[in-house]
């Protein structure tokens, strides 16, 4: 076998194939071709139908596939494959991304695709195309309506084997309604969605008055209407965009400040800016809180669900102003975003920046052309049908002659020619008569044909009138737009505001000011604070509910201690307490909160009073049921939330805890055997917290202290005692009450027995309640309702006057009250 040899190529052979090209010219040409392809075939929408080529091809392919709203869903991969194989050879990812966006209600103001499955969220990607299904939405049918009636031009596809529409008929202004976004080469578009009802109203106004100004149109379209709702702040940028095609506006989340718990307020977020998801907001807030760049937030919960929609709950710490925190959230998080409008779209194949009036005018002109071409097509079709109907009518009127002509003809061609000659028919009419079955040539069909002829003539006349009159053509377009608006219109979702309504400056601090206030504790176990530290009234309104057990001077951002009958003091933040209105004088604590919301008590533990935790403040005076007295040195630990303030003996409990503001004030004990002992506080030396105190009052066998407090001997004060039987059930006795002058009781030495405060009558052997303090005295029931007391002052050792109602507690304008432990009494909700 002969070996084949080849001659190696020489340099001359290569030189013959080399073409010298200028690099800069080649780059310029190639780049321009690429830019042209991106601008016209991929990135920018057409101003007439508002669709990019890939969107238009998806809608057209799905329409051709018969995926109407009344049909079942099909796999998205099937749609993507059909679009890619026939019309859009740029990859399945781009097609599926466009299909998904047209199905997302948070991306499109009026979705064009009805998706079934996971089509994503503002934070998450959709499922793969093999898992989702799709069909055309009802609004998409309006986009492709009458596309087969020669309303738009068609062009060959990329390989010349198929045709595709150059634009959709578009029964509504899709570009303004759904907006558009796209990045081309050297230019980009970013158009905001609008409300269909408003856009249609503006378009109809422009149809009626072609010389309408921008101000006229903005009366119908005041601003964008975003799919996710929210609020648009500042309208100047919107007007700039409507006038020149470019402008910016700020989008804000829709928020409200509400009471999210009995003790805390919170910010409820129900709508977010366009293209902002809740996870993005939550992540940003947590980052800022962790980095300590955002203060005042104690908790963040995403309670969104499919039924209630978006629901972010941002809990605000007490002591922070929710409105100020909200302003910080707007400033630092995606809860406020800027939207830049850039209305770039293709007009006659050229990219242009359009204002609102130009956008509407382009659409109106397109729609007028669509309806004109549709009307001409329909008239042409009806004229063709009328021509055939007239031929059939001639045949029916001369049926015998027609049959004779056909039977005597050699073939169909001769029959057609003879029919044309004998009855003066056209070739089309003659051929149609020959093709018509004999069953159609009955007398009844003659009546039907006459009716059809009349209908066709009327429709042709109507279509001719539309084509010959510009006013009628405009009316048809306007009426069709009104019908679309009625079918698909929805209320506006986005609120438009000229300004934010909240101006953050030095006068609006983030935190609540640390102003002076009074902390109040009532006999029904309620805690509250006043708006300032001004003294409470001495007389006041006797109809006010409840009486005060303790009144403590503090500041809004300070702390107080709650003292229990087990000798514990529990730390409470003043800022957590509800604020009473300044008009309450004396304050009615019906707006207070139960102490159980702020402290956790052991079984059988009750609250007997409150005191200041300030180390430089007044000390605390305590009295126990076994007659022990103690003045506590205010060296409270700063790193503990609860601690002991007295070492109690077994079986002993604290019955009173009062702040001692001056050492010349009296410490007062009232026992169950109706004995009162008073002596100056200077007689008791202060002790540290672990100490057990010292003997305060001498008790006879079986007697206990029922009330302990502090009284200023320089003020006019009263002593109130209520006697009853020790054998009766607690809370069931009405008892006999006596009011006496505190000055009648002489001071005695510490640890003595005191003097008698009330003489028992028949059936009385014990004091049920007692109190001493500044006049006037008040008595309340278990639910805080006022109970009348005797008006006359009784003798020091006199007997009482029977009451009309059971008394649960006694108190005064400023001082402490006595009776049953406060925390055991019902809350105001039982009133």
């Amino acid at each position: 076998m002969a070996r084949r040899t080849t001659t190696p190529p020489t340099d001359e052979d290569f030189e013959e194939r080399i073409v010298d090209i200028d690099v800069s010219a080649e780059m310029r040409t190639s780049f321009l071709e690429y830019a042209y392809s991106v601008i016209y075939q991929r990135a920018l929408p057409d101003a007439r139908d508002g669709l990019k080529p890939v969107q238009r091809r998806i809608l057209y392919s799905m329409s051709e596939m018969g995926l109407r709203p009344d049909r079942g869903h099909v796999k998205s991969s099937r749609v993507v494959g059909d679009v890619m194989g026939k019309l859009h050879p740029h990859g399945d990812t781009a097609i599926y991304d466009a299909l998904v966006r047209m199905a997302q209600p948070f991306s499109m103001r009026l979705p064009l695709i009805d998706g079934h499955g996971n089509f994503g969220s503002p934070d998450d990607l959709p499922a793969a195309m093999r898992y989702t299904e799709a069909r055309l939405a009802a609004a998409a049918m309006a986009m492709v309506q009458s596309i087969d009636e020669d309303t738009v031009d068609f062009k060959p596809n990329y390989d010349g084997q198929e045709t595709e529409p150059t634009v959709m008929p578009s029964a509504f202004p899709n570009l303004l309604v759904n907006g558009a976004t796209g990045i081309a080469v050297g230019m980009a578009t970013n158009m905001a969605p609008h409300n269909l009802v408003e856009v249609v109203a503006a378009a109809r106004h422009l149809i009626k008055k072609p010389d309408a100004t921008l101000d006229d149109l903005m009366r119908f379209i005041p601003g964008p209407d975003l799919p996710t709702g929210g609020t648009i702040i500042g309208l100047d940028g919107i007007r700039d965009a409507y006038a020149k095609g470019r402008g910016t506006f700020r989008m804000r989340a829709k928020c409200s400040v509400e009471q999210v718990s009995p003790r805390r307020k919170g910010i409820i977020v129900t709508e977010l800016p366009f293209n902002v998801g809740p996870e993005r907001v939550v992540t940003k807030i947590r980052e800022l809180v962790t980095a300590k760049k955002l203060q005042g937030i104690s908790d963040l919960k995403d309670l969104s669900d499919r039924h209630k929609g978006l629901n972010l709950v941002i809990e605000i710490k007490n002591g922070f102003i929710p409105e100020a925190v909200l302003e910080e959230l707007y400033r630092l998080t995606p809860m406020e975003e800027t939207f830049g409008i850039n209305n770039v779209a293709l007009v006659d194949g050229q990219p242009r920046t359009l204002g609102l009036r130009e956008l509407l005018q382009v659409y109106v002109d397109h729609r007028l052309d669509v309806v004109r071409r549709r009307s001409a097509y329909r008239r042409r079709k009806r004229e063709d049908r009328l021509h055939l109907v007239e031929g059939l009518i001639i045949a029916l009127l001369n049926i015998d002659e027609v049959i004779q002509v056909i039977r005597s003809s050699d073939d169909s061609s001769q029959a057609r020619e003879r029919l044309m000659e004998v009855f003066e028919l056209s070739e089309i009419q003659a051929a149609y008569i020959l093709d018509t079955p004999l069953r159609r040539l009955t007398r009844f069909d003659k009546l039907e044909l006459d009716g059809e002829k009349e209908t066709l003539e009327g429709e042709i006349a109507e279509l001719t009138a539309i084509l010959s009159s510009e006013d009628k053509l405009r009316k048809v377009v306007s009426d069709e737009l009104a019908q679309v608006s009625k079918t698909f219109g929805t209320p506006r979702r986005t609120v438009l505001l000229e300004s934010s309504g909240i101006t953050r400056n030095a006068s609006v601090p983030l935190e609540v000011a640390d102003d002076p206030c009074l902390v109040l504790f009532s006999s029904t176990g309620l805690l509250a604070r006043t708006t300032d530290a001004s003294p409470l009234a001495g007389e006041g309104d006797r109809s006010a509910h409840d009486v005060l057990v303790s009144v403590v001077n503090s500041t809004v951002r300070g702390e107080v201690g709650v003292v229990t009958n087990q000798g514990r003091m529990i730390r409470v933040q003043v800022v957590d307490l509800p604020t009473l209105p300044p008009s309450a004088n004396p304050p009615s604590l019906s707006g207070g909160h139960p102490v159980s919301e702020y402290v956790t008590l052991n079984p059988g533990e009750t609250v007997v009073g409150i005191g200041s935790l300030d180390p430089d403040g007044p000390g605390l005076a305590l009295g126990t049921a076994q007659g022990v007295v103690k003045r506590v040195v205010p060296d409270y630990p700063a790193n503990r939330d609860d601690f002991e303030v007295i070492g109690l003996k077994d079986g002993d409990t604290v019955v009173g805890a009062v702040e001692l503001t001056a050492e010349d004030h009296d410490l007062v004990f009232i026992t169950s055997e109706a004995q009162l002992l008073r002596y100056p506080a200077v007689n008791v030396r202060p002790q540290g917290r672990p100490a057990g105190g010292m003997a305060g009052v001498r008790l006879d066998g079986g007697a206990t202290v029922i009330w302990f407090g502090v009284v200023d001997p320089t003020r006019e004060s009263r002593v109130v005692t209520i006697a009853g039987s020790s054998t009766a059930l607690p809370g069931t006795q009405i008892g006999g009450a006596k009011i006496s002058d505190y000055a009648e009781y002489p001071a005695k030495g510490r640890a003595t027995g005191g003097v008698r405060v009330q003489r028992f009558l028949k059936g009385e052997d014990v004091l049920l309640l007692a109190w001493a303090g500044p006049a006037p005295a008040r008595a309340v029931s278990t639910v805080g309702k006022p109970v009348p007391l005797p008006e006359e002052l009784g003798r020091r050792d006199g007997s009482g006057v029977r009451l009309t109602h059971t008394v649960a507690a006694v108190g005064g304008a400023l001082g402490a009250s006595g009776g049953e432990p406060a925390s055991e009494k019902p809350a105001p909700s039982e009133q």
Side-chain angles (χ1 to χ4, degrees):
M1 183 175 180
R3 183 187 296 268
R4 181 179 179 181
T5 60
T6 58
T7 303
T10 63
D11 294 339
E12 288 77 7
D13 295 332
F14 285 115
E15 289 178 358
E16 292 176 359
R17 302 174 188 173
I18 296 174
V19 178
D20 291 331
I21 298 177
D22 182 64
V23 174
S24 62
E26 179 65 21
M27 290 292 292
R28 187 181 303 109
T29 302
S30 299
F31 183 80
L32 287 176
E33 290 178 355
Y34 167 73
Y36 181 88
S37 174
V38 171
I39 292 172
Y40 296 100
Q41 300 183 30
R42 296 174 70 177
L44 298 184
D46 193 294
R48 294 170 291 179
D49 61 4
L51 298 174
K52 299 179 185 179
V54 62
Q55 296 172 324
R56 189 179 302 113
R57 290 163 178 167
I58 290 172
L59 297 182
Y60 178 67
S61 292
M62 294 181 72
S63 175
E64 292 296 297
M65 294 170 67
L67 303 180
R68 297 188 296 272
D70 57 347
R71 302 287 182 87
H73 295 81
V74 302
K75 287 290 185 181
S76 300
S77 55
R78 178 181 170 188
V79 176
V80 171
D82 195 79
V83 173
M84 183 171 61
K86 294 181 179 180
L87 304 175
H88 196 78
H90 295 290
D92 56 351
T93 301
I95 299 172
Y96 186 55
D97 288 347
L99 185 147
V100 165
R101 188 178 186 278
M102 289 193 291
Q104 292 175 334
F106 52 85
S107 296
M108 305 282 280
R109 188 60 180 82
L110 186 62
L112 302 177
I113 301 294
D114 179 12
H116 182 70
N118 178 15
F119 276 78
S121 69
D123 295 302
D124 298 323
L125 296 174
M129 67 180 78
R130 60 183 179 273
Y131 299 121
T132 62
E133 299 177 342
R135 65 184 178 188
L136 290 176
M141 299 305 298
M143 292 290 294
V144 301
Q145 185 179 9
S146 69
I147 194 172
D148 56 349
E149 294 183 298
D150 193 30
T151 53
V152 295
D153 295 331
F154 280 72
K155 65 179 180 179
N157 70 334
Y158 65 93
D159 61 2
Q161 297 185 17
E162 303 282 345
T163 59
E164 61 176 308
T166 58
V167 68
M168 286 293 183
S170 186
F172 63 91
N174 178 64
L175 185 59
L176 277 168
V177 172
N178 282 321
T181 179
I183 301 176
V185 178
M187 62 184 67
T189 185
N190 195 34
M191 305 181 68
H194 292 78
N195 186 272
L196 174 65
V197 177
E198 297 174 355
V199 172
V200 167
R204 295 185 67 196
H205 182 75
L206 186 62
I207 292 173
K208 184 178 180 181
K209 297 182 178 180
D211 57 346
T213 63
L214 177 61
D215 291 334
D216 296 335
L217 298 177
M218 286 189 66
R219 290 192 295 108
F220 301 96
I221 308 179
D225 187 22
L226 308 175
T228 54
T231 303
I232 291 179
I233 304 298
L235 305 183
D236 292 340
I238 294 176
R239 179 174 178 79
D240 292 341
Y242 286 170
K244 304 175 183 177
R246 292 186 179 181
T248 60
F249 61 84
R250 289 182 295 150
M251 305 175 292
R252 277 188 172 179
K254 182 179 180 181
C255 307
S256 61
V257 177
E258 300 179 11
Q259 197 79 28
V260 297
S261 70
R263 295 172 52 187
R264 296 252 172 113
K265 288 187 176 182
I267 298 171
I268 310 299
V269 183
T270 55
E271 296 175 3
L272 287 174
F274 188 39
N275 292 330
V276 174
E279 289 186 13
R280 180 180 164 194
V281 174
V282 170
T283 301
K284 184 63 176 178
I285 291 176
R286 286 175 176 165
E287 290 177 355
L288 292 171
V289 171
T290 302
K292 297 184 178 180
K293 295 181 179 179
L294 182 60
Q295 298 179 343
I297 296 177
S298 62
D299 195 11
L300 175 59
K301 300 175 184 177
D302 186 357
L303 304 181
S304 306
D305 58 36
R306 185 172 300 177
H307 303 289
K308 296 181 180 179
L310 179 68
N311 186 19
L312 292 181
V313 180
I314 305 172
E315 193 171 299
I316 305 301
K317 292 179 180 178
N318 287 318
F320 288 82
I321 300 174
E323 291 76 10
V325 176
L326 178 58
E327 188 67 16
E328 287 294 288
L329 289 171
Y330 286 145
R331 187 174 67 88
L332 299 173
T333 72
M335 287 174 59
E336 177 176 308
E337 291 279 84
T338 299
F339 190 99
I341 298 177
N342 190 23
N343 295 336
V344 178
L346 297 177
V347 180
D348 297 329
Q350 301 295 323
R352 287 179 53 191
T353 302
L354 306 173
L356 176 63
R357 192 185 187 286
E358 290 78 12
L359 285 169
L360 287 171
Q361 188 64 59
V362 170
Y363 172 77
V364 168
D365 292 343
H366 168 63
R367 194 61 191 168
L368 289 171
D369 183 62
V370 166
V371 174
R372 184 183 295 109
R373 293 179 60 167
R374 185 189 67 192
S375 300
Y377 175 85
R378 290 177 177 177
R379 185 178 66 173
R380 187 164 60 250
K381 287 294 184 180
R382 283 156 178 75
E383 288 175 344
D384 293 343
R385 176 61 183 170
L386 179 62
H387 187 60
L388 297 176
V389 168
E390 289 174 342
L392 278 179
I393 291 175
I394 292 174
L396 283 173
L397 293 176
N398 303 276
I399 186 64
D400 295 334
E401 291 84 349
V402 169
I403 294 175
Q404 180 63 33
V405 169
I406 295 174
R407 290 186 61 186
S408 61
S409 300
D410 296 333
D411 51 30
S412 59
S413 298
Q414 185 181 18
R416 181 174 64 253
E417 292 175 358
R418 293 181 62 192
L419 286 173
M420 294 169 56
E421 180 181 354
V422 173
F423 299 104
E424 297 182 355
L425 299 174
S426 67
E427 184 178 355
I428 295 176
Q429 288 175 320
Y432 187 70
I433 292 172
L434 290 173
D435 293 338
T436 301
L438 287 175
R439 65 175 180 271
R440 291 290 312 278
L441 304 178
T442 65
R443 185 181 304 170
F444 180 74
D445 286 312
K446 169 65 168 55
L447 297 176
E448 283 187 346
L449 290 173
D450 289 338
E452 183 179 1
K453 177 183 178 182
E454 184 179 352
T455 301
L456 289 172
E457 289 175 343
E459 292 177 348
I460 290 172
E462 183 179 349
L463 292 170
T464 302
I466 293 174
L467 292 171
S468 59
S469 172
E470 183 72 13
D471 292 339
K472 290 186 178 181
L473 177 64
R474 288 179 172 272
K475 185 178 185 304
V476 171
V477 174
S478 179
D479 292 344
E480 290 181 354
L481 283 172
Q483 183 60 41
V484 170
S485 175
K486 181 179 179 181
T487 304
F488 302 110
T490 55
R492 166 171 279 275
R493 299 176 185 172
T494 303
V495 177
L496 303 177
L497 296 178
E498 288 285 353
S499 60
S500 65
I502 300 177
T503 303
R504 180 72 193 279
N505 51 44
S507 63
V508 185
L510 182 63
E511 300 182 49
V512 174
D514 196 20
D515 296 328
C517 67
L518 291 176
V519 180
L520 312 175
F521 177 59
S522 78
S523 63
T524 54
L526 300 180
L527 279 173
R529 60 182 168 93
T530 60
T531 54
D532 55 38
S534 58
L536 301 178
E539 290 296 331
D541 181 5
R542 284 182 174 268
S543 66
H545 295 185
D546 215 343
V547 294
L548 300 179
V549 174
S550 301
V551 179
V552 175
N553 286 289
S554 183
T555 60
V556 173
R557 305 190 65 82
E559 297 176 326
V560 295
V562 172
V563 183
T564 73
N565 64 340
Q566 295 181 3
R568 280 203 309 156
M569 178 174 271
I570 306 172
R571 196 181 300 270
V572 173
Q573 303 292 327
V574 176
V575 73
D576 291 347
L577 306 180
T579 304
L580 298 181
S583 59
N585 191 10
S588 173
L589 266 74
S590 59
H593 289 170
V595 68
S596 58
E597 291 187 5
Y598 303 94
V599 298
T600 301
L601 301 176
N602 300 322
E605 188 174 19
T606 59
V607 177
V608 296
I610 61 175
S612 173
L613 292 176
D614 186 356
D616 299 325
L620 198 65
L622 305 175
T624 74
Q626 296 180 4
V628 174
V629 66
K630 180 180 179 181
R631 288 178 56 189
V632 184
V633 177
D635 58 346
Y636 309 124
N639 58 347
R640 293 174 57 184
D641 290 334
D642 67 285
F643 43 84
E644 289 187 352
V645 289
I646 185 174
L648 293 174
K649 296 179 181 180
D650 292 342
D652 199 4
T653 59
V654 177
V655 296
V658 189
E659 281 193 335
L660 183 62
T661 57
E663 291 196 346
D664 60 350
H665 288 182
D666 288 344
L667 301 180
V668 183
F669 287 89
I670 302 178
T671 71
S672 59
E673 290 189 334
Q675 295 293 117
L676 183 149
L677 174 64
R678 52 172 284 204
Y679 49 83
V682 71
N683 293 349
V684 180
R685 71 178 186 277
Q687 295 178 307
R689 290 184 300 103
M694 58 185 67
V697 63
R698 186 180 70 243
L699 299 173
D700 295 335
T704 59
V705 176
I706 65 169
W707 186 86
F708 170 81
V710 176
V711 177
D712 182 0
T714 63
R715 294 189 60 180
E716 181 182 2
S717 300
R718 298 288 182 263
V719 176
V720 180
T721 53
I722 301 177
S725 173
S726 60
T727 61
L729 292 175
T732 62
Q733 295 189 81
I734 294 180
K738 181 177 77 75
I739 299 180
S740 54
D741 190 352
Y742 177 76
E744 293 188 9
Y745 299 92
K748 299 287 186 177
R750 180 179 61 85
T752 61
V755 295
R756 179 174 294 279
V757 71
Q758 181 171 346
R759 185 177 302 279
F760 295 141
L761 298 175
K762 185 177 180 180
E764 300 175 347
D765 60 356
V766 69
L767 283 186
L768 304 176
L769 296 173
W771 171 85
R778 297 183 180 88
V780 293
S781 65
T782 56
V783 293
K785 294 289 186 178
V787 176
L789 290 174
E791 295 183 1
E792 297 183 359
L793 295 180
R795 292 182 298 118
R796 186 183 73 181
D797 59 348
S799 58
V801 178
R802 187 171 179 80
L803 297 172
T804 59
H805 297 83
T806 302
V807 175
V810 181
L814 283 175
S817 68
E820 299 175 13
S823 57
E824 293 181 348
K825 298 179 176 60
S829 59
E830 298 179 23
Q831 296 182 30

